[in-house]
């Protein structure tokens, strides 16, 4: 390759061009600011050591100052990665507003599986369980609209649990009780 000047008059290859004067000035200014900050931090540490050392409260806000309860809770939720479970817990508290008063009287959320993204709902009769199974796709869309995309993938609807099974002399062997009410 030759050192002949290019079309812009420079002998250098434009791909390997060095920083211009403005860029060099920015780099030098940034380095000088970092050095000054380091010197200032070192000087402040020396002064604190002469005064007895340790951290002291000052006039400016820093990480040691007390914080509002709501801010502390939000920080804890964010640090622990509890955003989705906390949001779903809020949905469980607002269940009547989300599904409507009529449905909320007969169906209530029981638990949320964060790994599977499944909301389990228990209904007080098989008729309401069937009704909620038919409404499940619209309800999943509504919950994801409220919580964020993909927060709930599936709603598992359970019917009523039924009374505890009692065995004794007044019970016919093999009887399951009224099947259409507790099934």
């Amino acid at each position: 390759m030759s050192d002949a000047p290019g079309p812009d008059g420079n002998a250098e290859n434009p791909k390997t061009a060095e920083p211009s004067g403005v860029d060099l000035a920015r780099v030098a200014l940034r380095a000088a600011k970092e050095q000054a900050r380091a010197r200032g931090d070192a000087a402040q540490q020396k002064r604190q050591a002469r005064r007895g050392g340790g951290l002291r409260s000052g006039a400016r806000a820093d990480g040691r100052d007390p914080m509002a309860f709501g801010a502390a809770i939000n920080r804890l939720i964010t640090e622990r990665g509890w955003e989705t479970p906390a949001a779903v817990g809020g949905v469980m508290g607002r269940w009547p507003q989300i599904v409507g008063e009529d449905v909320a009287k007969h169906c209530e959320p029981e638990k949320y599986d964060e790994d599977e993204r499944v909301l389990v709902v228990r209904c007080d009769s098989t008729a309401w369980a069937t009704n909620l199974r038919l409404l499940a796709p619209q309800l999943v869309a509504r919950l994801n609209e409220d919580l964020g995309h993909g927060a709930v993938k599936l709603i598992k609807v359970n019917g009523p649990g039924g009374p505890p099974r009692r065995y004794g002399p007044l019970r016919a062997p093999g009887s399951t009780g009224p099947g259409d009410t507790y099934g």
Side-chain angles (χ1 to χ4, degrees):
M1 296 189 73
S2 68
D3 287 335
D8 58 354
N10 290 336
E12 299 175 353
N13 187 353
K15 292 180 183 175
T16 61
E18 293 186 21
S20 66
V22 175
D23 292 332
L24 288 173
R26 284 187 185 134
V27 170
L29 179 62
R30 187 178 310 122
K33 283 182 178 180
E34 287 174 7
Q35 289 173 356
R37 188 175 302 119
R39 281 193 308 267
D41 289 344
Q44 184 178 6
Q45 288 174 357
K46 281 184 183 178
R47 273 185 259 134
Q48 281 182 349
R50 273 183 285 186
R51 282 191 240 145
L55 296 173
R56 297 180 186 255
S57 181
R60 295 190 186 107
D62 62 8
R64 298 170 289 143
D65 289 341
M67 58 185 351
F69 185 70
I73 293 295
N74 287 338
R75 180 175 167 185
L76 178 68
I77 287 171
T78 303
E79 285 174 356
R80 303 286 173 127
W82 295 339
E83 291 93 354
T84 303
V88 171
V91 164
M92 289 184 177
R94 294 181 292 123
W95 184 252
Q97 290 88 14
I98 293 173
V99 297
E101 292 293 329
D102 197 31
V103 175
K105 287 179 190 173
H106 301 282
C107 306
E108 70 177 40
E110 281 191 334
K111 67 180 179 177
Y112 174 70
D113 183 4
E114 184 180 2
D115 297 330
E116 299 292 324
R117 306 240 185 246
V118 174
L119 180 65
V120 179
V121 179
R122 168 115 15 228
C123 297
D124 62 1
S125 71
T126 55
W128 277 103
T130 303
N131 189 19
L132 196 64
R133 284 185 190 105
L134 294 173
L135 293 174
Q138 291 121 2
L139 193 55
V140 167
R142 173 84 189 269
L143 289 169
N144 284 330
E145 192 177 290
D146 200 27
L147 298 171
H149 182 68
V152 177
K153 291 184 178 178
L154 177 70
I155 294 181
K156 184 177 178 184
V157 181
N158 292 333
R165 305 274 184 212
R166 286 178 275 193
Y167 298 98
L170 300 177
R171 182 133 176 110
S175 173
T176 58
D180 69 339
T181 307
Y182 298 106

